[in-house]
Amino acid sequence: MKRRSAGTLAALLLLPVACTADDDPPRGVAALKPACEKVLDADSLAEAGKSTEIERVRSPSGPKISYASAAKELKENMVEICNIPFEDDTSPGEPALRIRFDLSDAPLFPREERRSTSGYKAYGLKNGMQAVSDGSSGTILFPCKPKGASSSINVTGTIDNDLALPVRSRFRVVFRASEKMIAALQCENKVALPSPATMNPYPEG
């Protein structure tokens, strides 16, 4: 039998533990695809892919939070359903993308205040819902009567992003996440979130 050289044997022994590209965590758009149970649609992913920061995005290392567990926690605290970080970010408060839910004792803006500003857009929606866009964030407020509850609650869903997602894209993403939260809360009232393409903010003034 032909003998192998020491160098050949050493190389063969190293093969099983050699690193491959598949061992690296997903980055960029690949890290965003499964985010928050796939709430980013194809258009939002394409828009995020144009960001100059997209290659810094990586998959989170922490445990995933389900909407079902978040709905239970929401009764007591604000819940963060997803947090997609930048790979070199030392400040956890400034992720690439984050979606969180909370309860609100007050509307997003007074009913009589029907105005926007250059950096802030207010939207009056049907059935007690409101929405605002402020900087790189977007928030929706909707009433929900959880199954078995004696009264309704006001739920807010907010998206923060540092990927230059345009306003309508932000609303599409947070609305899709809100639909999952509505299902998890088992809202007995019908919550029909609008299409962001049909939403027009109050005029500036």
Side-chain angles (χ1 to χ4, degrees):
M1 182 175 70
K2 186 177 180 180
R3 285 190 165 186
R4 298 181 185 273
S5 68
T8 303
L9 287 172
L12 289 172
L13 289 173
L14 288 173
L15 281 176
V17 295
C19 293
T20 66
D22 292 337
D23 296 326
D24 293 333
R27 300 173 186 273
V29 173
L32 291 176
K33 283 184 179 180
C36 317
E37 296 187 12
K38 301 180 179 180
V39 295
L40 276 82
D41 58 20
D43 289 341
S44 299
L45 290 170
E47 289 161 350
K50 299 175 184 177
S51 169
T52 57
E53 305 292 333
I54 190 63
E55 293 306 319
R56 295 175 53 218
V57 176
R58 65 172 172 81
S59 292
S61 57
K64 293 182 178 179
I65 302 175
S66 70
Y67 285 85
S69 62
K72 294 178 181 178
E73 182 71 14
L74 182 62
K75 297 174 184 178
E76 302 293 335
N77 302 292
M78 183 273 290
V79 292
E80 189 174 87
I81 197 66
C82 115
N83 187 311
I84 309 298
F86 288 120
E87 62 180 347
D88 54 352
D89 188 13
T90 58
S91 174
E94 297 179 1
L97 185 143
R98 172 177 58 193
I99 296 178
R100 50 196 166 89
F101 288 90
D102 204 352
L103 301 184
S104 177
D105 294 329
L108 296 180
F109 53 86
R111 304 293 181 185
E112 66 276 8
E113 184 182 302
R114 297 172 177 267
R115 64 185 180 87
S116 300
T117 65
S118 59
Y120 168 89
K121 306 297 181 185
Y123 303 78
L125 308 175
K126 295 180 179 180
N127 301 320
M129 295 188 292
Q130 293 180 321
V132 297
S133 171
D134 191 6
S136 60
S137 299
T139 299
I140 175 71
L141 177 145
F142 58 87
C144 167
K145 186 176 182 298
K147 185 176 181 180
S150 58
S151 60
S152 294
I153 55 176
N154 283 332
V155 181
T156 60
T158 299
I159 179 174
D160 302 298
N161 89 103
D162 200 11
L163 297 173
L165 288 177
V167 173
R168 287 183 175 178
S169 184
R170 275 180 255 148
F171 280 135
R172 286 202 314 272
V173 174
V174 77
F175 285 7
R176 292 180 71 175
S178 296
E179 288 171 349
K180 293 179 181 291
M181 182 58 75
I182 290 165
L185 288 168
Q186 300 182 57
C187 301
E188 293 185 331
N189 57 306
K190 185 177 180 180
V191 185
L193 299 173
S195 166
T198 65
M199 291 169 52
N200 294 309
Y202 291 129
E204 295 183 19

